[in-house]
Structure formats: C-alpha cells, structure tokens
C-alpha cells in the first residue's frame, strides 16, 4: 500500500547551473560594492529593463511590474532545514520564499498575467481606439518576443535536486516524523517543482528530472503550463481563496473577469493533479490531498476511481458561511472537497463552519460526525497539526544557536524581551501589535528603558498602506523613548537565519502573536518547546496569543488570550506577562507544554491516517451496492431457531407508501393491518411500529391491531404492547422552551416565503415549502432557516434537518434509537433470563428506509456484536466469529432505501416486497418451505400457499 501525499509543492525542486549564474547562497547582485560591474558581453548592451541581465537566463516579459516578493509563498507551515545544505539556508515557520519563476537558477515564467481589474475598462477603450487607428493604416508596435534560444539553454544545463523553500513545512515535518517512528512505511509525494517548466517542455531534460524525482526521492511531478500555474497560484489562490478564508472579502469574486481568467486556471491545475494520481494509483493505495490549492482534486479523482480511499486536510482557517458564500464558485469548491472520504480541519470551529456552509449552500444533512449526501456519507473531523520536537531539539543544540544566544544576551543585558515574527500583511496583525505596544509604554512609563520588542517582519508585496503605517508607528515609538543606549522597538523587515530564530525563542521573556485570523500558528509551539530552560537560563516565558488563531483553542486558557482589535487588552496582557510570578509562569508553561507535546506532527499524521482507514471501511460497508440482499432461506432458519422475537418496523415508506407527512392521512391499507395482526398471532413475537406522526394519529391508524407497540414523533412518545396510554420520553418543559425560540425564527422565514407553512407537532416543528410560489427562492430561504436554527439553538439540544421540501427541527436527545433502547431495557426487566432462555430477546429484526432509521440499525447491530462488514442475517463479523458483546443471538437489519446504510441487508422490492416477506414469514417457518431467492426477489412465480 502506498500513501500519496498530495501538496501543491514538492519538498524538492531543481536548480540549474548556468553561465554567469552565482552559486546558491552567494552574495546577491544587490549587495555588491558600488564600483563592481557585471561581467559579460550583455552588461553594456542596451536594454528595456531597469536592471541589466548578467546571465543568459531570459528576462521577464514586461507585461506588468514585477513584485518584489511572494506574499504567501510559504504561509502554511514550517520549512525543514535540509541536511545536505548550508545552515544559512535553514528557515523557521513562514519563510518568505522568492516569487514563482523569479529565481536566476530556474527558468522564467512564460505566463502573461491578466491585467488588474481596475484597468479593464481603460483597456477596452484603448483596444477600440487601436482598432480605429488600424483602419487608418496605423499599426501597433509588436511586443518583444522572448528568444527561444534563451530558454533552450535549460534543456542542456547541469542541474541538481535540492530541498525546496516553498510549500507546507509542517506537513513535511509530520511525514518525516511518522516515517522515522515506523508509523509510515511507503509514501509518495505528488506535486509541482515550484518553478516554470514551459522552457523545458518536449525536452529530454524534463523527462530525466521527472524520472530522478520518482526513482531517487519517491516524488511524482505534476507538470502544468506556466499560464495555468500563474493563474491558479498567483491569482485565484492568493487573491481570492486566501483572503476569503481569512475573512477578507475582496471585490474580485463579484467580477465577471475574475470568473473568466482565474477559475479556469484553478480547474486546470487541479485536473493535472487528479490525472497524475489516477495514472499511478493501484488498488489499496491511500490518497491524502492537502490545503486550499487543491480543493477540487478529491472529487476529480472520485469520478475516475469511485472506490479510492481519499482524505483531505485544510491547513488554513475555514470561514463562516456568510463569508464563504461570497465566492462565485462556492458550490464547486464544496463539492470538490466532498469527494473525499474524510475531511480534516485544524479545530472544531472550522469543522462547524464547514458543516453549516454545506448545509446552507448544498442543502446537505449535517450531523456531528459529518455530512449525509444523497448516495454516501462524508466524515468530518478536527485534528490540529503540531511540530516535530525531536527535529527541533537537535537543531537548537547546534553551536550556531548557542553563539547567537550569547550575542543577544550581551546585547540586551538587563532588558526584558518580547519577540514576534510575522508576515507583513493585514492578516497577521502587525499594526495592531505595535499600537498595543505603544499604548503599553504610554501607560507604564516605569517599563521604558527596560523592555524591547523585537519584531521580525517578512516582506510581502503589500507595500503601500500597511508597510507605510507600520514604519510610521515604529518611527514614532522609537523617536518618543529611544536614546543612545536604548531602542524600544527593533524592527527587522527581513527574515532571519534559522539559528537566530531559535536563539531568539530561547531567550525571550514573551512571544506575542496578534493574528486577525490564522489556522494553526506553529511558532507558538516552537516557542513553548524552546522555553524548557535546557539551553538558556530564561524559561517558562509567557505566551500572548490572539484568540482568533486556531492554536488558541488547544491551550485551555493557559495562554494570555487577547483580541487584536482591543488595544487596551493587549497592552494589559504585555504587563501581565512581564509581572507574572515564577510559580504561575511555570504552571502555565507546564500546561501549554503538555498540549504541544501531545499534539505533535507525528500524532496528527498517524491519527488522521488511522481515522481515514476506519471511516473508509465503515463507508464501504454502508454503501448500498456493498450491502447484500436479504437471504430468505437464512432468515427462515434464524426465525425457526429462536423463541423470543422483537420486530421494530418503520411505518412511512416501509409498511405504507404515501406522500408528505403534512398531507391529510388516509386510512391505512388493510393489507398492512392484516400483516401485523398475522405476525402478532404468534405469542413469541413482539412488534413495534415507529413513525414520525403524532400519537393520536397512530392510535387512529392502528386501533384494529391489538397488542401492537407504537413509537410516535421519531422517539418522543412510546406506547408499550397491550397498553392504552402513551409515555412521553422527551422533557416537556425543554420542548416548550426551544419551540418558542425556533418558532420565532421559522416565522421570520415564513413571512418571506409565500406558500410555505409551519407544522407544529408535540415535540417537533416542520417548515414545509414544497408548495411555495417560488420554489427556488424557497429553497434558499429554507437553507438559511436551517442554518440560522442550528447556529442559534445549538445549546438547546435541537437540530434542523433539511428534507424533501421541508426542514424538520427535532430534539437531539430523543430519537427512534433511544426509544428502541427503552423497549429493550423494559423487555430485559419483564422477560428475565431462565433455564430455556438466556436472553430476553434472541431474535431482533429492524426494518426501515430513512435516515432516522440508521441510528436504530447501528444500535441493533451492536447488540448482535456485528462489527465491520457483516454477513447477512448471521450476526458474524468479518472473521466469522461472534461479536465480543453479543446480547442478541440473531440480529437482522434491513433497509428499503437506495442510500448508503448501516443495515446488514437490503430489500429492493420496496413496500410490496416487505409486506410479502412479513405475511409469509410464519408460514415459511411452519411448513419449512424453501423458496428460491431468485424467483421470490424478482416476483416470478406464485407465493407459497398460506
């Protein structure tokens, strides 16, 4: 079995050695002495570019201004320091990688980026004017074409495969840790090289690179055109998905131009990944797709390989439905993710947002475990990623780290240090942090001259407003309180080497993170690990952490949680961190360290893989095509060998076929009543019928069937066999409380949905909109209504479930399953075991067709000790042995629906087939008649005589 780890960037990339190209890690051209000139014949040649080229690497086509750096090049996690490279190339979390296609030792991109949206109108005007000039005989100058000879040099240049500085370092650390611990054997990476490849298309060089990556490094390389990758990564991912997932709604999704040129590139790249996976997949392989760059891959693979085992994990935050619904392609993205068997998020909040979004936009049924789709179930789980303590421990004991610790101790002797390291973008909250620090110094003059904030800011392309604002704040703070021997803010607008980073974390008194939104901030994990005091006299430093980071939910309040927009709160947190006693600091640190050491990268990786294996088996067992047909011969043998039999039968769709539950109830067909009466003639049989209808309605329907037990309103009311009174299972006071809240919400949407109506039952409310005047509008209103109720009334233990033309709101704590458990408990009391009967029930048969019957199936299977893929009507597990906690000898669960099911058998003939089965089961058993399964199932041939 191979595990395919699918990420946008591979852990390795390729660097070429070209004439005139400086070796990796050498001094750049910008840092050369002013008098030094570029060598080579091209140095003095006229050029349209601002900077002369010092190599034969082709220049960038002048279609737009080059961005100085990549704002989100490595926003997802930690970069692993490669063992075979210089230590200066190591990097901590969120290293700012060079722009894609901007390296001198890699080909340049041939993609021509689409113009900014603000220029579209002026471009149309210019094109119109150019057309008019063309009619007058005036031609436009042609754009300078790239010389093919410049690109062909890469086809013959020497190259080496090195560790990449792009991509998700946290994922790489976790995979290596799991492999090191023996929990991951055979795994293969799937991704791109992180560089333009159009210059190598059709060359042997590209094939050689692909072969070496596969054979030497177990990495499958995905190749896509430069244009596709640029549109996918630089535009759709960075400018659309990343801001929206972090609650920054851009104007782009509302533009037709956005849909034209960004989305199609995103689809193309995702399709290239899916094709590569499908080409190399073998039965038994596991596919694990990562992050927002590849949201469509799970469904694309599912279409080609329906039986594939697919997991998906989103490393960034997932926004609320109000934000996500602003995306023009919202449904396509959700449906792409739902191609997976298991979808993972960092924390429960993101899981809840995803479930609510799917319920609202796709009208899917959301449960605490996942989403029930029309044909299958998708499990959803929250599982936070972590760091690799073993790898981190090795690096922080290196001499370079110890040297920098000594330098900083001397430099900041007698000072308290607050450290921070963030990307300089709006999401990371650098501006809020500096303003809070300024407020702290204003309010606490005694701390001036005694505290230093070291802010490392990774540069991005956001150079206008935010960059200027942050610089102004730093200048203002330093000009107010700095002197010849003291500088309150050390502001580094650059990344720092890995050794300096670890040294900084080790000697800090506090780490301050004020992100406005963030998935899992692993810098805080590394900081806490470095504060154990093993290599530094400073230990147990405080953690000031934004409550809007996913990390905050792991630490149980032992961090100093702050709201980044509340400057007073942040300033007070700084003071608390500095004045906190040693005992409290140690107590907090021990709790925080315990969480960090538990939620490691290896634990995250192995836990997700084990859950994926488990849910895949469960889903495969529940698939309608995997569940066998009911065996009549086996059923007869089970029936004959038992004497205490319990039947729990669903009513609507199982014993009777009719329309929506809000229609006037017709008289129950006589045939159904006759079948139930015949079944009850045998004193060994106990029969219960479960329904979603009111108790008085069921009394009227079954008044001619004595000794029949009834379950009303999906488990809220129970009437025992032979009894004339109903037992209310639900808490009436709690029902009245939540009904008042829910009814107000439903009324709000009822007023906006002409033709809809509200049905008020004793323990549930139903919003019917099938007869609405505008059905499409009614569907949207119903989805909003369900989402609103689930958000507002979650603590009242109710949930809203979208149905066919309705939304059902019912309690969580009382279901058909809880009623069935009550029935079984009562039978254990009334029918105690004796010499002849070891159990109160030795035959249990549950028949149903809907989603609310699935919990009863699951409960019944557990009584029979049925686990995994069970054989039909035998109560045995995969290995043929009885379950470990088998309480009922024979358990048969039968589904009449076409959906995936927990039942151990299906019956495809619907209501008529079920009535035929029940009407003759006693006759079959009494006469020992054997009927051909084929003839009975197909309806060919007469039924045996009664």
């Amino acid at each position: 079995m191979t595990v395919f780890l699918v990420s946008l960037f591979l852990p390795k990339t390729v660097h070429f050695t070209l004439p005139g190209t400086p070796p990796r890690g050498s001094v750049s051209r910008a840092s050369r002495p002013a008098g030094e000139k570029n060598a080579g014949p091209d140095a003095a040649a006229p050029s349209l570019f601002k900077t002369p080229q010092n190599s034969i690497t082709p220049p960038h086509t002048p279609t737009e201004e080059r961005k100085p750096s990549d704002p989100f090049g490595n926003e997802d996690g930690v970069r692993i320091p490669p063992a075979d490279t210089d230590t200066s190339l190591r990097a901590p979390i969120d290293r700012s990688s060079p722009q894609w296609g901007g390296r001198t030792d890699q080909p340049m991109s041939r993609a021509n980026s689409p113009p900014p949206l603000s220029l579209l109108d002026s471009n149309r005007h210019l094109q119109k004017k150019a057309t008019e000039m063309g009619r007058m005989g005036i031609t436009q100058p042609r754009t300078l074409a790239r010389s093919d000879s410049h690109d062909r040099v890469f086809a013959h240049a020497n190259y080496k495969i090195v560790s990449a500085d792009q991509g998700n370092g946290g994922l790489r650390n976790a995979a290596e840790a799991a492999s090191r611990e023996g929990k991951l054997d055979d795994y293969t990476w799937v991704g791109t090289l992180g560089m333009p490849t159009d210059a190598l298309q059709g060359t042997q060089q590209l094939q050689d690179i692909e072969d070496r990556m596969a054979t030497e490094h177990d990495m499958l390389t995905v190749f896509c055109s430069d244009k596709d990758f640029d549109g996918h990564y630089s535009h759709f991912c960075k400018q659309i998905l990343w801001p929206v997932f972090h609650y920054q709604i851009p104007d782009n999704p509302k533009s037709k131009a956005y849909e034209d040129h960004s989305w199609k590139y995103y689809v193309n790249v995702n399709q290239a990944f899916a094709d590569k996976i499908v080409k190399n997949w073998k039965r038994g392989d596991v596919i694990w797709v990562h992050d927002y760059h590849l949201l469509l891959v799970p469904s694309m693979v599912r279409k080609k390989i329906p039986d594939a085992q697919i997991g998906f994990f989103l490393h960034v935050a997932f926004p609320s439905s109000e934000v996500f619904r602003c995306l023009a392609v919202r449904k396509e993205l959700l449906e792409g993710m739902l191609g997976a068997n298991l979808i993972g998020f960092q924390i429960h909040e993101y899981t809840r947002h995803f479930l609510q979004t799917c319920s609202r936009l796709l009208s899917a049924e959301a449960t605490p475990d996942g989403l029930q789709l029309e044909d299958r179930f998708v499990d959803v789980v929250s599982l936070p990623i972590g760091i690799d303590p073993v790898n981190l421990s090795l690096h922080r004991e290196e001499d370079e780290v110890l040297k920098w610790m000594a330098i900083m101790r001397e430099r900041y002797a007698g000072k308290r240090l607050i450290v921070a390291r963030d990307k300089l973008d709006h999401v990371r909250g650098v501006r809020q942090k500096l303003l809070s620090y300024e407020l702290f110094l204003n309010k606490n003059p005694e701390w001036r001259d005694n505290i230093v904030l070291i802010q490392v800011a990774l540069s991005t392309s956001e150079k206008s407003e935010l960059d200027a604002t942050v610089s102004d704040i730093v200048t203002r703070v330093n000009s107010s309180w700095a002197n010849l021997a003291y500088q309150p803010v050390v502001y580094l607008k650059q990344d720092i080497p890995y050794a300096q980073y670890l040294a900084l974390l080790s000697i800090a008194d506090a780490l301050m993170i004020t992100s406005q939104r963030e998935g899992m901030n692993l810098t805080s994990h590394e900081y806490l690990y470095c504060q154990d005091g093993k290599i530094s006299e400073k230990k147990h430093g405080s953690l000031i952490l934004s409550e809007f980071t996913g990390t905050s939910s792991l630490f149980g309040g032992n961090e100093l949680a702050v709201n980044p927009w509340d400057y007073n709160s942040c300033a007070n947190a700084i003071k608390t961190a500095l004045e906190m006693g040693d005992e409290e600091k140690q107590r907090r640190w021990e709790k925080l360290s315990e969480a960090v050491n538990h939620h490691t990268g290896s634990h995250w990786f192995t836990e997700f893989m084990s859950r994926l294996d488990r849910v895949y088996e469960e889903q495969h067992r529940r698939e309608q095509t995997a569940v066998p047909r009911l065996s009549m011969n086996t059923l007869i043998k089970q029936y004959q060998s038992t004497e205490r039999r319990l039947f729990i039968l669903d009513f609507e769709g199982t014993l009777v076929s009719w329309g929506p539950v809000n229609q006037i109830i017709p008289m129950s067909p006589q045939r159904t009543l006759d079948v139930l009466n015949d079944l009850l003639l045998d004193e060994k049989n106990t029969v219960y019928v479960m329904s979603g209808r009111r108790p008085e309605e069921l009394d009227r329907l079954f008044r001619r069937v004595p000794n029949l037990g009834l379950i009303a309103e999906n488990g809220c009311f129970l009437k025992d066999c032979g009894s004339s009174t109903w037992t209310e299972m639900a808490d009436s006071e709690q029902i009245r409380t939540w009904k008042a809240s829910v009814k107000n919400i439903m009324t709000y949407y009822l007023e906006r949905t002409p033709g809809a109506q509200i049905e008020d039952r004793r323990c549930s409310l139903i919003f019917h909109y099938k007869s609405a005047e505008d059905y499409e509008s009614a569907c949207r209103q119903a989805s909003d209504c369900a989402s609103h109720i689930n958000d507002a009334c979650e603590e009242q233990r109710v949930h809203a479930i979208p149905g066919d033309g309705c939304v059902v709101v019912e309690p969580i704590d009382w279901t058909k399953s809880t009623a069935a458990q009550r029935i079984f408990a009562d039978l254990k009391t009334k029918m105690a075991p004796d010499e002849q009967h070891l159990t109160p029930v030795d035959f249990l048969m549950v028949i149903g067709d809907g989603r609310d019957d699935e919990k009863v199936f699951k409960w019944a299977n557990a009584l029979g000790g049925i686990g995994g893929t069970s054989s039909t009507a035998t109560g045995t597990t995969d290995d043929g042995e009885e379950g470990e906690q088998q309480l009922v000898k024979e358990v048969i669960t039968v589904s009449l629906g076409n959906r995936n099911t927990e039942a151990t058998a299906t019956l495809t003939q619907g209501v008529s087939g079920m009535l035929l089965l029940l009407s003759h089961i006693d006759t079959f058993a009494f006469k020992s008649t054997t009927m051909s399964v084929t003839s009975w199932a197909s309806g060919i041939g007469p039924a045996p005589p009664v």
Side-chain angles (χ1 to χ4, degrees), residues 269 290 367 379 440 709 884:
V269 172
H290 289 270
T367 71
D379 286 79
F440 166 77
E884 294 181 358

Side-chain angles (χ1 to χ4, degrees), residues 6 16 159 162 215 242 390 432 479 516 530 534 536 544 580 603 646 685 701 817 881:
V6 189
F16 294 86
Y159 68 90
V162 299
T215 56
W242 171 267
V390 176
Q432 286 79 4
S479 62
Q516 298 176 8
C530 290
K534 291 184 178 180
S536 172
I544 304 172
M580 187 181 298
H603 172 268
L646 173 61
N685 296 340
L701 286 168
S817 177
E881 298 179 357

Side-chain angles (χ1 to χ4, degrees), residues 518-620:
E518 192 170 1
M520 192 61 55
N521 187 295
L522 297 184
T523 302
S524 60
H525 291 230
E526 294 182 335
Y527 166 74
L528 292 168
Y529 189 82
C530 290
Q531 286 288 313
D532 57 4
K534 291 184 178 180
I535 63 171
S536 172
E537 69 282 356
K538 288 189 177 181
K539 59 182 180 179
H540 308 155
S542 299
L543 174 63
I544 304 172
L545 183 64
S546 167
E547 63 187 52
F548 297 103
T549 64
T551 315
S552 180
S553 64
L554 300 181
F555 290 157
N558 293 292
E559 80 286 7
L560 297 176
V562 295
N563 178 354
W565 286 276
D566 186 352
Y567 301 148
N568 273 303
S569 172
C570 293
N572 293 334
I574 295 175
K575 184 175 182 180
T576 301
L578 296 174
E579 298 178 351
M580 187 181 298
D582 292 340
E583 291 185 3
E584 183 179 356
K585 287 199 296 184
Q586 181 175 356
R587 179 186 61 80
R588 286 175 177 265
W589 179 85
E590 288 175 351
K591 294 291 185 182
L592 294 170
S593 179
E594 182 181 349
V596 170
N597 289 320
H598 174 69
H599 294 286
T600 63
S602 175
H603 172 268
W604 166 80
F605 194 100
T606 54
E607 182 67 17
F608 188 93
M609 292 302 300
S610 62
R611 292 196 187 192
L612 179 57
D613 290 338
R614 185 165 63 251
V615 302
Y616 178 74
E617 292 298 328
E618 292 176 356
Q619 293 171 12
H620 182 70

Side-chain angles (χ1 to χ4, degrees), residues 307-320:
D307 297 333
Q309 183 176 344
I310 306 174
F312 178 84
F313 193 88
L314 186 68
H315 291 261
V316 298
F318 192 90
S320 68

Side-chain angles (χ1 to χ4, degrees), residues 627-759:
V627 180
R629 295 186 180 89
L630 180 67
S631 170
M632 194 64 186
N633 292 333
T634 306
L635 178 61
I636 293 172
K637 293 177 182 178
Q638 292 174 300
Y639 189 88
Q640 286 178 317
S641 64
T642 53
E643 296 188 355
R644 290 183 172 182
R645 312 184 190 104
L646 173 61
F647 292 83
I648 302 179
L649 312 175
D650 183 41
F651 185 47
E652 298 89 353
T654 302
L655 294 175
V656 166
S657 298
W658 56 35
V661 294
N662 63 320
Q663 294 182 358
I664 298 176
I665 300 176
M667 181 57 63
S668 185
Q670 186 62 39
R671 185 184 180 194
T672 300
L673 302 180
D674 293 341
V675 166
L676 294 174
N677 277 314
D678 291 342
L679 202 58
L680 287 167
L681 288 177
D682 191 338
E683 295 181 354
K684 300 177 182 179
N685 296 340
T686 302
V687 183
Y688 279 82
V689 173
M690 50 187 180
S691 171
R693 301 188 179 278
R694 302 184 183 93
E696 56 270 21
E697 295 171 340
L698 295 183
D699 279 337
R700 186 166 66 251
L701 286 168
F702 296 105
R703 63 182 182 275
R704 296 171 55 190
V705 186
N707 296 324
L708 178 68
L710 296 172
I711 300 172
E713 292 207 25
N714 291 330
C716 291
F717 294 91
L718 176 64
K719 182 179 180 182
D720 290 327
C721 298
S723 175
S724 59
T725 60
W726 286 88
T727 301
E728 185 174 1
M729 305 284 291
D731 185 341
S732 57
E733 181 61 31
Q734 182 180 351
I735 296 294
R736 281 193 295 270
T737 301
W738 70 254
K739 268 192 173 184
S741 302
V742 171
K743 193 173 289 186
N744 289 334
I745 297 175
M746 280 191 169
T747 302
Y748 173 86
Y749 290 96
L750 181 68
E751 294 171 352
R752 289 155 178 79
T753 315
Q757 57 181 308
I758 299 175
E759 180 184 358

Side-chain angles (χ1 to χ4, degrees), residues 141-154:
R142 294 183 177 273
T143 304
L144 290 176
R146 184 192 304 275
S147 173
D148 289 339
S149 61
H150 284 263
D151 287 347
R152 281 199 297 268
V153 70
F154 288 98

